[in-house]
Tab-separated table of all heavy atoms in Angstrom:
chain	number	residue	atom	x	y	z
A	1265	ASP	N	2.706	-24.141	-18.673
A	1265	ASP	CA	3.198	-25.331	-19.366
A	1265	ASP	C	3.533	-26.364	-18.313
A	1265	ASP	O	4.517	-26.185	-17.556
A	1265	ASP	CB	4.422	-25.043	-20.241
A	1265	ASP	CG	4.952	-26.268	-21.051
A	1265	ASP	OD1	4.405	-27.373	-20.786
A	1265	ASP	OD2	5.844	-26.082	-21.845
A	1266	THR	N	2.756	-27.416	-18.189
A	1266	THR	CA	2.989	-28.447	-17.198
A	1266	THR	C	3.751	-29.656	-17.707
A	1266	THR	O	3.999	-30.561	-16.916
A	1266	THR	CB	1.622	-29.018	-16.605
A	1266	THR	OG1	0.968	-29.711	-17.608
A	1266	THR	CG2	0.803	-27.835	-16.036
A	1267	GLY	N	4.075	-29.669	-18.952
A	1267	GLY	CA	4.705	-30.888	-19.490
A	1267	GLY	C	3.632	-31.775	-20.060
A	1267	GLY	O	3.918	-32.496	-21.069
A	1268	ILE	N	2.420	-31.823	-19.529
A	1268	ILE	CA	1.318	-32.617	-20.000
A	1268	ILE	C	0.398	-31.756	-20.854
A	1268	ILE	O	-0.063	-32.238	-21.864
A	1268	ILE	CB	0.604	-33.299	-18.850
A	1268	ILE	CG1	1.530	-34.175	-18.051
A	1268	ILE	CG2	-0.646	-34.004	-19.295
A	1268	ILE	CD1	0.910	-34.676	-16.740
A	1269	PHE	N	0.120	-30.549	-20.404
A	1269	PHE	CA	-0.761	-29.664	-21.205
A	1269	PHE	C	-0.154	-28.263	-21.042
A	1269	PHE	O	0.628	-27.897	-20.175
A	1269	PHE	CB	-2.189	-29.714	-20.709
A	1269	PHE	CG	-2.465	-29.087	-19.368
A	1269	PHE	CD1	-2.700	-27.748	-19.253
A	1269	PHE	CD2	-2.397	-29.880	-18.225
A	1269	PHE	CE1	-2.925	-27.149	-18.018
A	1269	PHE	CE2	-2.649	-29.269	-16.999
A	1269	PHE	CZ	-2.903	-27.922	-16.876
A	1270	THR	N	-0.627	-27.409	-22.025
A	1270	THR	CA	-0.277	-26.030	-22.002
A	1270	THR	C	-1.574	-25.156	-22.108
A	1270	THR	O	-2.574	-25.706	-22.584
A	1270	THR	CB	0.664	-25.603	-23.196
A	1270	THR	OG1	-0.021	-25.895	-24.376
A	1270	THR	CG2	1.940	-26.359	-23.162
A	1271	GLY	N	-1.545	-23.944	-21.679
A	1271	GLY	CA	-2.712	-23.147	-21.756
A	1271	GLY	C	-2.371	-21.701	-21.404
A	1271	GLY	O	-1.246	-21.331	-21.055
A	1272	THR	N	-3.377	-20.890	-21.561
A	1272	THR	CA	-3.244	-19.430	-21.221
A	1272	THR	C	-4.444	-19.009	-20.353
A	1272	THR	O	-5.490	-19.624	-20.357
A	1272	THR	CB	-3.184	-18.602	-22.466
A	1272	THR	OG1	-4.452	-18.748	-23.161
A	1272	THR	CG2	-2.081	-18.933	-23.383
A	1273	PHE	N	-4.213	-17.945	-19.538
A	1273	PHE	CA	-5.272	-17.356	-18.769
A	1273	PHE	C	-4.943	-15.935	-18.534
A	1273	PHE	O	-3.821	-15.495	-18.472
A	1273	PHE	CB	-5.554	-18.131	-17.496
A	1273	PHE	CG	-4.429	-18.114	-16.512
A	1273	PHE	CD1	-4.387	-17.111	-15.499
A	1273	PHE	CD2	-3.370	-19.043	-16.597
A	1273	PHE	CE1	-3.366	-17.102	-14.571
A	1273	PHE	CE2	-2.403	-18.992	-15.642
A	1273	PHE	CZ	-2.350	-18.052	-14.643
A	1274	ASP	N	-6.039	-15.121	-18.415
A	1274	ASP	CA	-5.960	-13.700	-18.204
A	1274	ASP	C	-6.533	-13.400	-16.823
A	1274	ASP	O	-7.417	-14.112	-16.335
A	1274	ASP	CB	-6.617	-12.888	-19.273
A	1274	ASP	CG	-6.011	-13.066	-20.636
A	1274	ASP	OD1	-4.776	-13.339	-20.694
A	1274	ASP	OD2	-6.694	-12.987	-21.633
A	1275	THR	N	-6.098	-12.319	-16.197
A	1275	THR	CA	-6.650	-11.842	-14.931
A	1275	THR	C	-7.001	-10.373	-15.049
A	1275	THR	O	-6.580	-9.702	-15.928
A	1275	THR	CB	-5.633	-12.038	-13.807
A	1275	THR	OG1	-4.543	-11.112	-13.935
A	1275	THR	CG2	-5.137	-13.432	-13.694
A	1276	THR	N	-7.836	-10.007	-14.072
A	1276	THR	CA	-8.195	-8.598	-13.875
A	1276	THR	C	-7.741	-8.222	-12.472
A	1276	THR	O	-7.900	-8.976	-11.519
A	1276	THR	CB	-9.739	-8.394	-13.988
A	1276	THR	OG1	-10.131	-8.842	-15.280
A	1276	THR	CG2	-10.120	-6.950	-13.826
A	1277	ARG	N	-7.164	-7.014	-12.314
A	1277	ARG	CA	-6.611	-6.517	-11.084
A	1277	ARG	C	-7.191	-5.211	-10.670
A	1277	ARG	O	-7.434	-4.325	-11.509
A	1277	ARG	CB	-5.102	-6.300	-11.166
A	1277	ARG	CG	-4.282	-7.494	-11.565
A	1277	ARG	CD	-2.837	-7.025	-11.787
A	1277	ARG	NE	-1.991	-8.168	-11.982
A	1277	ARG	CZ	-0.684	-8.118	-12.306
A	1277	ARG	NH1	-0.107	-6.904	-12.434
A	1277	ARG	NH2	0.021	-9.213	-12.488
A	1278	TRP	N	-7.420	-5.058	-9.374
A	1278	TRP	CA	-7.778	-3.766	-8.754
A	1278	TRP	C	-6.874	-3.550	-7.583
A	1278	TRP	O	-6.618	-4.496	-6.800
A	1278	TRP	CB	-9.196	-3.793	-8.240
A	1278	TRP	CG	-10.220	-3.568	-9.282
A	1278	TRP	CD1	-10.955	-4.486	-9.926
A	1278	TRP	CD2	-10.631	-2.321	-9.868
A	1278	TRP	NE1	-11.747	-3.958	-10.870
A	1278	TRP	CE2	-11.613	-2.607	-10.808
A	1278	TRP	CE3	-10.250	-1.024	-9.636
A	1278	TRP	CZ2	-12.229	-1.696	-11.579
A	1278	TRP	CZ3	-10.861	-0.030	-10.400
A	1278	TRP	CH2	-11.856	-0.341	-11.342
A	1279	MET	N	-6.428	-2.302	-7.385
A	1279	MET	CA	-5.590	-1.999	-6.243
A	1279	MET	C	-5.906	-0.559	-5.764
A	1279	MET	O	-6.031	0.351	-6.579
A	1279	MET	CB	-4.079	-2.052	-6.506
A	1279	MET	CG	-3.196	-1.749	-5.423
A	1279	MET	SD	-1.452	-1.972	-5.829
A	1279	MET	CE	-0.729	-1.205	-4.400
A	1280	ALA	N	-6.140	-0.454	-4.438
A	1280	ALA	CA	-6.371	0.851	-3.863
A	1280	ALA	C	-5.320	0.928	-2.680
A	1280	ALA	O	-5.091	-0.064	-1.941
A	1280	ALA	CB	-7.733	0.988	-3.294
A	1281	ASP	N	-4.696	2.101	-2.550
A	1281	ASP	CA	-3.624	2.324	-1.577
A	1281	ASP	C	-3.774	3.682	-1.006
A	1281	ASP	O	-3.727	4.687	-1.762
A	1281	ASP	CB	-2.266	2.089	-2.233
A	1281	ASP	CG	-1.093	2.169	-1.285
A	1281	ASP	OD1	-1.306	2.303	-0.045
A	1281	ASP	OD2	0.032	2.112	-1.796
A	1282	VAL	N	-3.929	3.780	0.353
A	1282	VAL	CA	-4.062	5.079	0.969
A	1282	VAL	C	-3.003	5.074	2.099
A	1282	VAL	O	-2.935	4.101	2.908
A	1282	VAL	CB	-5.496	5.269	1.537
A	1282	VAL	CG1	-5.537	6.633	2.285
A	1282	VAL	CG2	-6.547	5.216	0.470
A	1283	LYS	N	-2.279	6.149	2.224
A	1283	LYS	CA	-1.189	6.262	3.167
A	1283	LYS	C	-1.148	7.646	3.835
A	1283	LYS	O	-1.282	8.627	3.166
A	1283	LYS	CB	0.140	5.962	2.478
A	1283	LYS	CG	1.376	6.035	3.310
A	1283	LYS	CD	2.636	5.574	2.578
A	1283	LYS	CE	2.839	6.420	1.353
A	1283	LYS	NZ	4.224	6.178	0.740
A	1284	LEU	N	-0.971	7.660	5.150
A	1284	LEU	CA	-0.731	8.884	5.913
A	1284	LEU	C	0.569	8.818	6.593
A	1284	LEU	O	0.890	7.920	7.361
A	1284	LEU	CB	-1.857	9.020	7.011
A	1284	LEU	CG	-1.799	10.259	7.896
A	1284	LEU	CD1	-2.085	11.511	7.097
A	1284	LEU	CD2	-2.795	10.138	9.062
A	1285	THR	N	1.491	9.814	6.197
A	1285	THR	CA	2.849	9.798	6.806
A	1285	THR	C	3.257	11.227	6.934
A	1285	THR	O	2.716	12.160	6.426
A	1285	THR	CB	3.863	9.125	5.792
A	1285	THR	OG1	3.839	9.779	4.553
A	1285	THR	CG2	3.541	7.644	5.596
A	1286	GLY	N	4.370	11.407	7.691
A	1286	GLY	CA	4.967	12.680	7.823
A	1286	GLY	C	5.550	12.911	9.204
A	1286	GLY	O	5.713	12.011	9.986
A	1287	GLU	N	5.838	14.177	9.370
A	1287	GLU	CA	6.359	14.607	10.703
A	1287	GLU	C	5.816	15.976	11.009
A	1287	GLU	O	6.035	16.937	10.237
A	1287	GLU	CB	7.893	14.664	10.569
A	1287	GLU	CG	8.619	14.866	11.891
A	1287	GLU	CD	10.154	14.724	11.752
A	1287	GLU	OE1	10.585	13.564	11.637
A	1287	GLU	OE2	10.803	15.723	11.770
A	1288	TRP	N	5.078	16.070	12.099
A	1288	TRP	CA	4.379	17.257	12.436
A	1288	TRP	C	4.989	17.823	13.776
A	1288	TRP	O	4.849	17.189	14.813
A	1288	TRP	CB	2.921	16.935	12.569
A	1288	TRP	CG	2.031	18.109	12.755
A	1288	TRP	CD1	2.287	19.460	12.649
A	1288	TRP	CD2	0.595	18.093	12.971
A	1288	TRP	NE1	1.128	20.211	12.870
A	1288	TRP	CE2	0.123	19.386	13.090
A	1288	TRP	CE3	-0.252	16.993	13.160
A	1288	TRP	CZ2	-1.226	19.660	13.317
A	1288	TRP	CZ3	-1.609	17.292	13.394
A	1288	TRP	CH2	-2.085	18.572	13.525
A	1289	GLN	N	5.590	18.932	13.740
A	1289	GLN	CA	6.190	19.601	14.892
A	1289	GLN	C	5.100	20.317	15.667
A	1289	GLN	O	4.634	21.345	15.265
A	1289	GLN	CB	7.266	20.545	14.466
A	1289	GLN	CG	8.119	21.157	15.639
A	1289	GLN	CD	9.204	20.179	16.061
A	1289	GLN	OE1	9.765	19.485	15.247
A	1289	GLN	NE2	9.444	20.116	17.302
A	1290	LEU	N	4.659	19.752	16.821
A	1290	LEU	CA	3.618	20.365	17.608
A	1290	LEU	C	4.114	21.523	18.449
A	1290	LEU	O	3.410	22.504	18.591
A	1290	LEU	CB	2.943	19.326	18.494
A	1290	LEU	CG	2.267	18.165	17.768
A	1290	LEU	CD1	1.727	17.113	18.812
A	1290	LEU	CD2	1.178	18.659	16.863
A	1291	ASP	N	5.278	21.335	19.050
A	1291	ASP	CA	5.961	22.482	19.777
A	1291	ASP	C	7.471	22.171	19.707
A	1291	ASP	O	7.921	21.314	19.024
A	1291	ASP	CB	5.403	22.630	21.159
A	1291	ASP	CG	5.526	21.335	22.008
A	1291	ASP	OD1	6.495	20.621	21.931
A	1291	ASP	OD2	4.674	21.042	22.892
A	1292	GLU	N	8.215	22.882	20.555
A	1292	GLU	CA	9.657	22.685	20.528
A	1292	GLU	C	10.135	21.300	20.857
A	1292	GLU	O	11.236	20.918	20.395
A	1292	GLU	CB	10.338	23.755	21.479
A	1292	GLU	CG	10.216	25.161	21.023
A	1292	GLU	CD	10.934	26.145	21.991
A	1292	GLU	OE1	11.823	25.649	22.807
A	1292	GLU	OE2	10.662	27.260	21.891
A	1293	THR	N	9.421	20.608	21.657
A	1293	THR	CA	9.900	19.258	22.132
A	1293	THR	C	9.003	18.126	21.610
A	1293	THR	O	9.347	16.953	21.786
A	1293	THR	CB	10.042	19.226	23.596
A	1293	THR	OG1	8.731	19.518	24.157
A	1293	THR	CG2	10.963	20.171	24.147
A	1294	THR	N	7.893	18.426	21.027
A	1294	THR	CA	6.935	17.354	20.624
A	1294	THR	C	6.873	17.253	19.129
A	1294	THR	O	6.394	18.243	18.457
A	1294	THR	CB	5.574	17.573	21.294
A	1294	THR	OG1	5.727	17.835	22.663
A	1294	THR	CG2	4.643	16.377	21.022
A	1295	VAL	N	7.022	16.038	18.605
A	1295	VAL	CA	6.931	15.790	17.152
A	1295	VAL	C	5.972	14.588	16.988
A	1295	VAL	O	6.112	13.531	17.587
A	1295	VAL	CB	8.298	15.482	16.480
A	1295	VAL	CG1	8.055	15.201	15.043
A	1295	VAL	CG2	9.220	16.656	16.677
A	1296	LEU	N	4.991	14.760	16.208
A	1296	LEU	CA	3.987	13.722	15.865
A	1296	LEU	C	4.409	13.127	14.540
A	1296	LEU	O	4.577	13.854	13.572
A	1296	LEU	CB	2.576	14.260	15.779
A	1296	LEU	CG	1.490	13.269	15.454
A	1296	LEU	CD1	1.310	12.207	16.556
A	1296	LEU	CD2	0.158	14.049	15.243
A	1297	THR	N	4.614	11.736	14.543
A	1297	THR	CA	5.045	11.081	13.246
A	1297	THR	C	4.010	10.062	12.900
A	1297	THR	O	4.231	8.845	13.164
A	1297	THR	CB	6.463	10.467	13.402
A	1297	THR	OG1	6.444	9.606	14.519
A	1297	THR	CG2	7.500	11.543	13.506
A	1298	PRO	N	2.917	10.448	12.297
A	1298	PRO	CA	1.838	9.460	11.935
A	1298	PRO	C	2.339	8.545	10.790
A	1298	PRO	O	3.098	8.947	9.872
A	1298	PRO	CB	0.685	10.306	11.440
A	1298	PRO	CG	1.356	11.604	10.975
A	1298	PRO	CD	2.577	11.790	11.821
A	1299	LYS	N	1.955	7.234	10.933
A	1299	LYS	CA	2.142	6.253	9.904
A	1299	LYS	C	0.958	5.308	9.864
A	1299	LYS	O	0.789	4.523	10.796
A	1299	LYS	CB	3.451	5.469	10.160
A	1299	LYS	CG	4.649	6.297	10.046
A	1299	LYS	CD	5.938	5.420	10.219
A	1299	LYS	CE	7.141	6.299	10.001
A	1299	LYS	NZ	8.360	5.632	10.093
A	1300	LEU	N	0.217	5.473	8.832
A	1300	LEU	CA	-0.929	4.628	8.678
A	1300	LEU	C	-1.122	4.304	7.188
A	1300	LEU	O	-0.978	5.230	6.337
A	1300	LEU	CB	-2.212	5.378	9.167
A	1300	LEU	CG	-3.586	4.729	8.942
A	1300	LEU	CD1	-3.631	3.499	9.838
A	1300	LEU	CD2	-4.716	5.636	9.321
A	1301	ARG	N	-1.298	3.061	6.845
A	1301	ARG	CA	-1.483	2.638	5.468
A	1301	ARG	C	-2.478	1.549	5.393
A	1301	ARG	O	-2.535	0.611	6.167
A	1301	ARG	CB	-0.149	2.138	4.944
A	1301	ARG	CG	-0.150	1.861	3.485
A	1301	ARG	CD	1.225	1.562	2.918
A	1301	ARG	NE	1.180	1.455	1.475
A	1301	ARG	CZ	2.181	1.085	0.740
A	1301	ARG	NH1	3.351	0.863	1.325
A	1301	ARG	NH2	2.046	1.018	-0.552
A	1302	ALA	N	-3.329	1.663	4.357
A	1302	ALA	CA	-4.362	0.652	4.052
A	1302	ALA	C	-4.181	0.317	2.559
A	1302	ALA	O	-4.168	1.157	1.732
A	1302	ALA	CB	-5.737	1.156	4.287
A	1303	VAL	N	-4.081	-1.004	2.250
A	1303	VAL	CA	-3.943	-1.393	0.816
A	1303	VAL	C	-4.981	-2.523	0.578
A	1303	VAL	O	-5.124	-3.407	1.412
A	1303	VAL	CB	-2.504	-2.049	0.606
A	1303	VAL	CG1	-2.391	-2.546	-0.844
A	1303	VAL	CG2	-1.434	-0.936	0.845
A	1304	TYR	N	-5.621	-2.418	-0.579
A	1304	TYR	CA	-6.519	-3.450	-0.995
A	1304	TYR	C	-6.043	-3.902	-2.382
A	1304	TYR	O	-5.746	-3.057	-3.289
A	1304	TYR	CB	-8.002	-2.839	-1.172
A	1304	TYR	CG	-8.881	-3.763	-1.931
A	1304	TYR	CD1	-9.519	-4.861	-1.242
A	1304	TYR	CD2	-9.173	-3.609	-3.285
A	1304	TYR	CE1	-10.356	-5.724	-1.922
A	1304	TYR	CE2	-10.036	-4.468	-3.900
A	1304	TYR	CZ	-10.612	-5.509	-3.274
A	1304	TYR	OH	-11.424	-6.342	-3.922
């Protein structure tokens, strides 16, 4: 509603989300903490 005209519209959405996370104990002193994310 713009004050001059009113209207309606619809949209279509797509979303893809992939994530790699965690904590991986390689040995007593080494921990790998991967963090990777891709979103469309």
Side-chain angles (χ1 to χ4, degrees):
D1265 182 354
T1266 67
I1268 299 172
F1269 71 88
T1270 61
T1272 62
F1273 64 95
D1274 296 331
T1275 69
T1276 300
R1277 300 172 173 177
W1278 281 99
M1279 181 175 169
D1281 185 2
V1282 179
K1283 177 174 59 170
L1284 179 67
T1285 59
E1287 191 171 282
W1288 189 7
Q1289 187 81 37
L1290 297 177
D1291 59 34
E1292 289 183 19
T1293 59
T1294 308
V1295 177
L1296 179 65
T1297 56
K1299 291 185 180 183
L1300 177 66
R1301 186 171 187 186
V1303 177
Y1304 169 81

